[in-house]
Amino acid sequence: MTIEKYYLINQHMMYMFGFYDRNAKVCTLVRQFDRVFIVDRSPMEILDDSLRCIGFNLKGAMDTSKIIIGNNMMCPVMINHIHNICVFPDKSHKHEDTIWFNPNQILRTQSLKRKTHIEFRNGLILMSDSKLFSFNHKWKSAEQLSKITIENANNPISFIIEPPRKVRKRRSKIKK
């Protein structure tokens, strides 16, 4: 298995997850359609690097996802709307062992012993500790985010999104 210094998420990425190497450093195992390798960076660093190369950052992408999809704790992240690359976590992004999935690479899911049996487009099968309903909800949210983002990019219209209440309250206190 090869070790890469850097990695930018592309359409061939199926999933990735963090783990600790023998020096207690967080690294990432990346599974692409045709190969598996280790990246000497954490999953969050890979997500941020992939967004920064197109002029965005991870915090902004997560905030935008929450606005578009709703205030969901485990929102998907749109990595690149031009290439339709979106990823979603199986649990909170604060855990190093969170698995980040590319919804475009998933073919189908099934429930098996209260876990989710995930089949990818290349025939690979992975078991996730998530329950089927929970996993499918995250998968659907990622597909919705991707569809809405691409639609907004292709058919731009001008509209104003009202900021969340906590932002409005803060602004009114600043003006006084």
Side-chain angles (χ1 to χ4, degrees):
M1 192 175 306
T2 62
I3 298 176
E4 307 283 335
K5 269 191 162 280
Y6 298 100
Y7 174 69
L8 298 177
I9 296 172
N10 59 46
Q11 300 97 317
H12 305 293
M13 196 263 315
M14 295 166 47
Y15 64 87
M16 67 179 184
F17 62 88
F19 68 94
Y20 290 100
D21 69 1
R22 63 181 172 223
N23 299 319
K25 181 181 186 300
V26 179
C27 295
T28 304
L29 185 129
V30 177
R31 174 70 194 216
Q32 285 193 342
F33 194 78
D34 58 348
R35 69 185 192 129
V36 180
F37 54 94
I38 295 171
V39 181
D40 194 25
R41 295 181 66 72
S42 73
M44 298 307 285
E45 290 173 322
I46 291 173
L47 289 168
D48 198 41
D49 292 344
S50 298
L51 284 159
R52 285 189 187 278
C53 80
I54 60 167
F56 301 105
N57 66 27
L58 185 56
K59 182 175 177 359
M62 288 181 151
D63 290 345
T64 301
S65 176
K66 286 179 182 178
I67 290 169
I68 293 173
I69 297 297
N71 196 6
N72 189 343
M73 293 303 291
M74 291 177 267
C75 277
V77 178
M78 193 70 189
I79 300 296
N80 189 324
H81 68 279
I82 295 169
H83 296 292
N84 191 19
I85 303 171
C86 185
V87 295
F88 68 95
D90 69 333
K91 57 186 157 211
S92 173
H93 68 276
K94 295 176 183 170
H95 299 278
E96 278 85 13
D97 64 339
T98 299
I99 303 174
W100 290 87
F101 293 95
N102 179 351
N104 294 330
Q105 293 291 342
I106 298 172
L107 183 61
R108 68 176 61 98
T109 57
Q110 296 175 354
S111 179
L112 188 64
K113 296 182 181 179
R114 307 192 100 208
K115 294 184 179 185
T116 302
H117 180 108
I118 306 159
E119 184 179 345
F120 293 92
R121 296 200 182 279
N122 68 348
L124 180 78
I125 295 171
L126 180 73
M127 293 294 284
S128 173
D129 288 334
S130 301
K131 291 189 174 137
L132 182 65
F133 176 81
S134 175
F135 185 86
N136 284 347
H137 178 72
K138 294 170 195 165
W139 182 19
K140 187 67 175 172
S141 293
E143 289 178 336
Q144 286 176 344
L145 176 65
S146 184
K147 182 179 176 183
I148 291 168
T149 304
I150 290 169
E151 179 67 28
N152 288 343
N154 291 335
N155 301 312
I157 57 171
S158 295
F159 62 94
I160 298 172
I161 298 176
E162 190 171 332
R165 288 185 173 224
K166 63 181 179 182
V167 174
R168 281 187 274 146
K169 287 179 183 177
R170 212 176 319 143
R171 285 185 184 161
S172 64
K173 288 179 184 178
I174 293 171
K175 290 180 183 178
K176 292 180 182 178

